Amino acid sequence: MSGQGPPLQGNEAQLLAGRLLVRNGIWNVLGLGVPLVVALFAIPRLIEGLGTDRFGLLTIVWAVIGYFGLFDLGLGRALTKLVAERLGRGHTEELPRLVWTALGLIAVLGVVAAALVAALAPWLIGHVLNVSPGLEQEAGPALEILALTLPVVMLSAGFIGVLEAHQRFVLINAVRIPLGVFTFLGPLIAVQYTPSIVAATAALAAARLAACLANLRQCLRVMPTLRLAVPFDRELVGPLLSFGGWLTVSNVVGPLMVYFDRFLIGALLTMSAVAYYATPYEVLTRFWVLPTAVAGVLYPALATASAADDPRLVRLFGRGVNALLLVMLPPLALIVLFAPEGLTLWLGTDFAAKSTAVVRWLAVGVFINSLARVPHALLQGVGRPDLTAKLHLLELPPYAAALWLLVHQFGIVGAAAAWTARIALDTGLLFWLAGRVVPTVRSDVRRALLLTSGGTLVIPLLSITHGLATKGSWAALLFAVATWLAYRQVRAAGWLPSAGAVPENLG
């Protein structure tokens, strides 16, 4: 990378300060982790109150909201990148025009997305999803409510992009935490009055609208200049769409590969099968709390460092990989060990019988994908979103074919196996691309690939362990090894001060 701006000074330099990044990471973990705790409490009660068919449809509603939160031509992510670059260079006078132009484009796209979902709803219900006859009358109004929600969901992504560029993760999570909690408690409250999926969807819609307004208020607080009347700037449309265009491919194709499995299961099998698959999937992917938190903090920091040619970019990459390896392997290994016992206690023997193998396959994929967040953030932070987009385009056809064949042959277990295989390929290629684009991180890339491969082999081996005593011994060993390695990593990074020493800045 060649220098693109002067060294960071003053307030801009604080955007890469180690204490700020650690604090932001902690807030991101809370913002994504608190809803996980609520989900563990709410999901069994939602299944009981809605029934497996209605709950399967609710998981699809969650998926559509999550998918269209990214369906903004990459403009939310582009805002983070472009605002962070201008902050890194000190060009703050350009920000109001940039932000309002991007938000105007996002608003238009939100209306288009709403019209698209509303138009496709009858076809999805009648020809794609295997919705039972008694549920069809509820599914139509639920999808119409969902369509009306999409513009505010997409605008929220734009507001969050602005806040991320300013490293204001405390404000982001002041909204994210209650929204995440209400994503599960809202439908649960609605179920107390009626088992209709329409009421559950309406509760989700109300929460999203409130969150959008709250995020707007936070943006105005961080950037008071946004209160000024700023005209739409056509000259900024090109740069926004140029960077956001490739992000759009990732934002459309990436989540499509994430959520396509449950739609295919609903089409080829039953809505009950969707519930048996999506329930462990929803919980296991919540373990992406830490990777998502780390990547969310790294992305604007890497973009700022890249704009100023700051050498801390390499350190941020290496330490992000190290932290995720140490933190993600032990809990996912424990899930594989105790999958049947945990499912039985949580959801009963029926779910345990049908979902144990799914849990174990998905746990491997979640571990591998956790590490992919770091090279993904690096490639986008240094301005190469085209590489991640092209990678997703290449992966989609073989993944769709493998998913179709394996679901036909092995049901929901086949879906989990296809998903994990695609994740493994994606992660390996992302690390390889990161080493090609930023040669200085190649040593970290090689080490990460080696350790990821080792962890990927260890996790499945635990699935053949039987007996609570043997499993307990393995769990104790995993905890001891992870604690020792974490201590060594913290000492090597200089985060634990020795007597009379000042700890190294984490940035």
Side-chain angles (χ1 to χ4, degrees):
M1 297 180 297
S2 60
Q4 299 177 22
L8 297 178
Q9 298 179 355
N11 292 333
E12 289 80 17
Q14 293 302 312
L15 296 175
L16 292 179
R19 290 181 180 178
L20 176 64
L21 297 179
V22 171
R23 185 186 70 185
N24 289 340
I26 292 171
W27 273 105
N28 266 6
V29 169
L30 290 174
L32 297 166
V34 171
L36 171 61
V37 177
V38 176
L40 292 172
F41 163 81
I43 285 177
R45 291 160 180 82
L46 282 171
I47 295 173
E48 181 181 356
L50 292 171
T52 53
D53 281 0
R54 282 190 178 89
F55 182 73
L57 186 58
L58 178 62
T59 67
I60 289 179
V61 171
W62 284 336
V64 172
I65 289 177
Y67 184 73
F68 278 92
L70 301 172
F71 191 70
D72 59 356
L73 288 186
L75 293 173
R77 199 75 165 166
L79 260 181
T80 302
K81 164 70 174 175
L82 298 176
V83 171
E85 283 185 344
R86 281 159 176 77
L87 290 173
R89 296 169 183 166
H91 297 169
T92 55
E93 72 282 355
E94 303 174 7
L95 294 181
R97 194 177 300 269
L98 170 65
V99 171
W100 281 122
T101 300
L103 291 174
L105 292 172
I106 291 173
V108 172
L109 290 169
V111 174
V112 173
L116 179 64
V117 170
L120 291 177
W123 175 72
L124 288 171
I125 296 169
H127 299 90
V128 177
L129 299 175
N130 192 8
V131 178
S132 61
L135 192 55
E136 287 183 356
Q137 292 182 345
E138 296 180 26
L143 290 183
E144 290 172 1
I145 294 172
L146 177 61
L148 293 174
T149 309
L150 297 181
V152 298
V153 170
M154 293 168 64
L155 276 172
S156 284
F159 297 140
I160 291 171
V162 175
L163 295 170
E164 285 182 344
H166 285 84
Q167 296 281 351
R168 302 304 292 269
F169 288 90
V170 175
L171 298 181
I172 292 171
N173 286 289
V175 177
R176 179 181 286 161
I177 291 173
L179 174 63
V181 168
F182 201 77
T183 296
F184 298 98
L185 287 190
L188 185 58
I189 292 170
V191 165
Q192 307 310 309
Y193 299 94
T194 172
S196 171
I197 192 69
V198 177
T201 307
L204 292 175
R208 292 288 168 167
L209 176 59
C212 181
L213 295 175
N215 282 320
L216 170 60
R217 185 172 180 271
Q218 303 287 38
C219 279
L220 295 176
R221 175 181 173 185
V222 171
M223 291 183 61
T225 53
L226 291 180
R227 299 178 185 273
L228 302 176
V230 178
F232 187 88
D233 192 340
R234 294 183 179 180
E235 294 183 0
L236 290 172
V237 172
L240 282 165
L241 294 181
S242 176
F243 186 85
W246 284 113
L247 286 174
T248 299
V249 177
S250 291
N251 285 351
V252 172
V253 178
L256 180 62
M257 290 190 289
V258 170
Y259 296 121
F260 179 58
D261 46 11
R262 66 189 70 186
F263 282 92
L264 188 62
I265 292 168
L268 297 180
L269 303 176
T270 64
M271 294 308 297
S272 294
V274 175
Y276 290 125
Y277 178 84
T279 300
Y281 182 96
E282 286 292 332
V283 173
L284 277 170
T285 53
R286 298 288 170 175
F287 279 86
W288 283 333
V289 165
L290 183 63
T292 302
V294 170
V297 173
L298 281 179
Y299 174 61
L302 291 169
T304 302
S306 174
D309 205 13
D310 195 295
R312 280 177 285 189
L313 181 146
V314 177
R315 276 192 290 168
L316 288 170
F317 179 87
R319 291 179 181 176
V321 171
N322 291 344
L324 293 179
L325 276 167
L326 289 173
V327 174
M328 295 304 296
L329 182 59
L332 290 167
L334 290 177
I335 285 174
V336 170
L337 264 177
F338 295 103
E341 293 85 358
L343 282 170
T344 300
L345 287 173
W346 185 40
L347 297 171
T349 55
D350 184 49
F351 252 86
K354 293 180 171 67
S355 299
T356 292
V358 172
V359 165
R360 285 171 165 166
W361 273 107
L362 292 178
V364 175
V366 168
F367 166 70
I368 297 171
N369 184 261
S370 299
L371 304 176
R373 305 305 178 92
V374 180
H376 189 274
L378 176 66
L379 290 171
Q380 294 194 351
V382 299
R384 293 304 307 271
D386 59 304
L387 295 178
T388 56
K390 292 172 183 175
L391 183 57
H392 285 148
L393 284 173
L394 289 172
E395 291 173 2
L396 181 57
Y399 171 61
L403 186 62
W404 183 280
L405 291 172
L406 290 177
V407 169
H408 264 297
Q409 188 70 27
F410 301 105
I412 59 176
V413 177
W419 184 83
T420 297
R422 199 272 304 173
I423 288 293
L425 176 63
D426 179 76
T427 300
L429 292 175
L430 280 173
F431 272 110
W432 176 75
L433 288 171
R436 290 290 299 270
V437 174
V438 187
T440 50
V441 304
R442 285 180 180 172
S443 61
D444 291 296
V445 165
R446 287 191 292 268
R447 182 168 48 81
L449 288 174
L450 179 62
L451 293 175
T452 303
S453 300
T456 303
L457 293 174
V458 166
I459 292 178
L461 290 176
L462 297 175
S463 64
I464 62 176
T465 303
H466 300 286
L468 285 177
T470 304
K471 291 182 177 184
S473 300
W474 273 109
L477 178 61
L478 282 169
F479 177 78
V481 171
T483 302
W484 177 68
L485 290 175
Y487 175 79
R488 287 194 58 185
Q489 175 59 36
V490 169
R491 292 290 295 180
W495 298 348
L496 290 178
S498 56
V502 178
E504 179 187 353
N505 189 301
L506 302 186

